[in-house]
């Protein structure tokens, strides 16, 4: 009695991964195919199907049955061509080996659709479907959930909001109604997501740490930051008063411009105070002052002048503020009469002054930073000039010693000599033996 153990592969995964044409017949051929498929794709369940085919054939052979094991593949172009290819290969196997029955081995429901083709040609005694014990997606999901539940921070971030939502929503729905409860819960969740998305918690933690370190180290910037915060509140208050004095003004452009016009001097003083405090901390420290801290106060003054000038220009065009009047003055031989400066002239004066201030700041920063680094630059130049000759004189010697060290390490490395050299051998003794 001859039994055909046939492994069905409808989509020709074996052929696409190994380049072999089916059918593959014989114990040794199928066992070699297991290695080829495993090397091509170790995660493919087809490897388990081939091994199952070999196991079934071995068990039948142990029962003194004549066994023929084969792998039959279809075509991945279309299902009709795949079924016809399987039918043609089965006809060839039946003509060559004339089996009395067959055992079908599959690994998916798609391959089981070929069973009627086998049954129409030979008696099928058994159908063996291989199910991989550890499915990759299910196993990965299980371990991800396990790691998630083991992480305390993730539990507090995800599970706690969900639990609070499930507890609070029924209460809000009972008291205020489902719509109001859902709106309140959605608002809280949105605020929480924004809080986490912008890393506000980390920023607050970092700010508290920096504040504590500044207080303990006695930095000047702590006091200047407090003063800057007070000036900022004063500026916001003055700007709000200026907007309230406008009365009923349509639109938001004029109130916003009035707010900027009134608050920018105080906000500029706040920023200037904070930057000066940071600059004093840099000056007190041992490290040289960076040019960015030197230039920051000038940039603050320049930006405030530009904002003040443009806001005054727009407000003067709307007759909200009066024109700028230059009073009569006399200083020695110099004197001027009283005159009124137009809106364009005042804007030009503010812009030019801002540009001049920014240029002065850049010049001061470059001069101070250049004077601080001059000594070290000179030292680097002197040391480099004094060592050029030594480098040129020793270049030939260094190149020769590098070649000798490289050749010596090549002889001593057991991987470069295919395991012929002893890893514990003395490289100098090897060199002497070569001579």
């Amino acid at each position: 009695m001859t039994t055909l153990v046939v492994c069905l592969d409808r989509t020709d995964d074996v052929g696409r991964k190994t380049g072999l044409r089916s059918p593959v017949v014989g114990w040794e051929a199928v066992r070699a195919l297991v290695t080829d498929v495993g090397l091509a794709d170790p995660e493919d369940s087809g490897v388990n199907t081939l091994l199952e085919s070999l196991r079934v054939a071995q068990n039948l052979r142990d029962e003194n049955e004549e066994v023929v094991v084969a792998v039959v593949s279809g075509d991945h172009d279309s299902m009709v061509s795949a079924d016809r290819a399987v039918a043609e290969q089965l006809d060839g196997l039946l003509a060559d080996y004339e089996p009395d029955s067959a055992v079908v081995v599959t690994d998916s429901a798609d391959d089981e659709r070929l069973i009627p083709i086998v049954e129409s040609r030979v008696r099928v005694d058994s159908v063996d479907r291989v199910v991989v014990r550890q499915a990759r997606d299910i196993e990965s999901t299980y371990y991800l959930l396990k790691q998630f539940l083991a992480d305390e921070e993730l539990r507090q971030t995800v599970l706690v909001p969900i639990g609070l939502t499930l507890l609070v929503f029924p209460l809000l729905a009972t008291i205020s109604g489902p719509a109001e409860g859902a709106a309140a819960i959605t608002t809280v969740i949105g605020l929480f997501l924004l809080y986490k998305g912008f890393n506000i918690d980390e920023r607050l933690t970092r700010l508290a740490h920096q504040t504590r370190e500044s207080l303990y180290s006695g930095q000047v910037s702590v006091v200047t930051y407090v003063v800057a915060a007070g000036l900022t509140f004063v500026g916001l208050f003055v700007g709000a008063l200026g907007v309230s004095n406008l009365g009923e003004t349509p639109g938001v452009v004029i109130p916003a411009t009035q707010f900027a016009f009134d608050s920018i001097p105080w906000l500029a003083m706040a920023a200037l105070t904070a930057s000066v405090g940071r600059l004093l901390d840099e000056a007190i420290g041992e490290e040289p002052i960076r040019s960015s801290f030197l230039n920051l106060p000038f940039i603050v003054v320049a930006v405030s002048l530009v904002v003040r000038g443009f806001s005054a220009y727009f407000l003067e065009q709307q007759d909200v503020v009066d024109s700028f009047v230059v009073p009569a003055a006399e200083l020695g031989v110099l004197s001027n009469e009283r005159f009124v400066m137009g809106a364009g002239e005042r804007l030009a004066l503010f812009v030019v002054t801002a540009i001049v201030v920014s240029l002065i700041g850049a010049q001061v920063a470059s001069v101070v930073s250049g004077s601080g680094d001059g000594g070290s630059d000179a030292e680097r130049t002197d040391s480099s000039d004094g060592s050029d000759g030594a480098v040129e004189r020793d270049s030939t010697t260094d190149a020769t010693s590098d070649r000798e060290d490289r050749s010596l390490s090549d002889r001593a490395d057991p991987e470069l000599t295919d395991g012929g050299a002893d890893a514990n051998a003395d490289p100098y003794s090897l060199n002497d033996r070569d001579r």
Side-chain angles (χ1 to χ4, degrees):
M1 181 177 178
T2 303
T3 302
L4 175 64
V5 180
V6 57
C7 177
L8 300 179
D9 179 19
R10 191 181 189 188
T11 56
D12 195 21
D13 293 335
V14 174
R16 286 187 288 107
K17 293 177 181 179
T18 61
L20 299 176
R21 297 184 60 183
S22 57
V24 179
V25 187
W27 176 273
E28 295 297 334
V30 174
R31 189 168 65 174
L33 184 63
V34 172
T35 304
D36 294 338
V37 175
L39 292 176
D41 188 3
E43 298 180 349
D44 189 7
S45 61
V47 178
N48 302 90
T49 309
L50 297 175
L51 291 174
E52 178 65 13
S53 302
L54 294 176
R55 188 190 67 83
V56 172
Q58 185 179 13
N59 292 339
L60 294 176
R61 188 174 298 170
D62 294 339
E63 297 176 359
N64 296 323
E65 291 190 20
E66 186 177 352
V67 181
V68 177
V69 59
V71 178
V72 177
S73 299
D75 191 357
H76 61 276
D77 292 336
S78 65
M79 292 297 101
V80 176
S81 61
D83 296 343
R84 288 179 176 176
V86 170
E88 183 179 355
Q89 295 172 29
L90 286 173
D91 291 338
L93 290 175
L94 296 177
D96 294 338
Y97 299 98
E98 298 181 355
D100 299 305
S101 62
V103 176
V104 180
V105 181
T106 64
D107 64 345
S108 64
D110 192 21
D111 294 337
E112 290 181 357
R113 296 181 180 179
L114 298 174
I115 295 178
I117 299 177
V118 182
E119 290 177 337
S120 64
R121 288 162 172 78
V122 65
R123 186 179 80 248
V124 176
D125 291 342
S126 176
V127 176
D128 187 0
R129 181 177 179 181
V130 179
V131 178
V132 181
R133 184 176 296 117
Q134 294 180 346
R136 180 182 62 184
D137 296 337
I138 298 177
E139 183 183 11
S140 301
T141 304
Y142 169 74
Y143 281 106
L144 285 176
L145 289 175
K146 187 176 180 180
Q147 293 177 358
F148 169 76
L149 295 175
D151 193 337
E152 183 178 357
E153 183 177 357
L154 286 177
R155 289 202 310 267
Q156 294 177 356
T157 305
V158 178
L159 297 182
V160 172
I162 294 176
L164 291 176
T165 301
L166 295 177
L167 289 175
V168 174
F169 179 73
L171 297 177
L172 294 178
T174 304
I175 298 173
S176 303
E180 291 78 3
I185 293 296
T186 305
T187 303
V188 174
I189 293 177
L191 293 175
F192 176 76
L193 293 178
L194 291 176
Y195 179 81
K196 285 294 185 181
F198 288 109
N199 293 328
I200 298 178
D201 52 347
E202 296 181 2
R203 295 175 185 270
L204 293 177
T205 303
R206 193 182 307 116
L207 179 61
H209 178 71
Q210 292 177 354
T211 303
R212 185 172 60 255
E213 293 295 330
S214 300
L215 289 174
Y216 290 158
S217 60
Q219 294 181 356
V220 181
S221 59
V222 176
V223 180
T224 58
Y225 286 161
V226 174
V227 176
L231 292 175
T232 301
F233 283 115
V234 172
L236 297 178
F237 181 74
V238 171
L241 286 179
V243 173
S244 63
N245 293 329
L246 291 176
E248 296 294 334
T249 303
V252 296
V253 177
I254 295 179
T257 308
Q258 181 67 42
F259 180 85
F261 178 79
D262 292 332
S263 64
I264 192 61
W266 295 95
L267 297 179
M269 284 190 293
L272 186 62
T273 303
S275 61
V276 169
R278 193 70 180 90
L279 180 61
L280 291 176
D281 287 339
E282 291 287 325
I284 295 173
E286 298 179 355
E287 297 181 359
I289 303 175
R290 285 172 287 183
S291 59
S292 58
F293 289 102
L294 290 170
N295 198 20
L296 183 59
F298 296 94
I299 295 298
V300 169
V301 174
V303 171
S304 62
L305 288 174
V306 171
V307 175
R308 177 80 172 184
F310 275 99
S311 59
Y313 175 79
F314 292 121
L315 292 176
E316 187 174 350
Q317 293 293 327
Q318 297 296 323
D319 296 330
V320 178
V321 297
D322 298 331
S323 300
F324 185 70
V325 178
V326 179
E330 183 176 354
L331 181 61
V333 296
L334 300 177
S335 62
N336 66 286
E337 297 180 356
R338 180 180 179 277
F339 66 95
V340 178
M341 185 177 293
E345 296 175 351
R346 179 162 62 177
L347 176 61
L349 176 62
F350 274 92
V351 171
V352 171
T353 306
I355 295 175
V356 172
V357 170
S358 62
L359 292 177
I360 293 175
Q363 185 65 25
V364 170
S366 62
V367 170
V368 175
S369 60
S371 63
D373 297 337
S376 59
D377 293 339
E379 291 176 359
R380 286 194 296 267
T381 304
D382 294 339
S383 61
S384 61
D385 293 339
S387 60
D388 286 341
V391 171
E392 292 177 357
R393 287 193 300 270
D394 295 340
S395 59
T396 305
T397 305
D398 292 340
T400 305
S401 62
D402 289 339
R403 286 196 298 270
E404 292 177 355
D405 293 339
R406 193 180 301 110
S407 62
L408 188 60
S409 62
D410 292 342
R411 292 192 187 99
D413 194 352
E415 293 182 358
L416 298 178
T417 56
D418 295 334
D422 188 4
N424 297 323
D426 188 6
Y428 294 99
S429 63
L430 290 175
N431 195 10
D432 295 334
R433 186 165 62 251
D434 291 339
R435 292 196 184 93

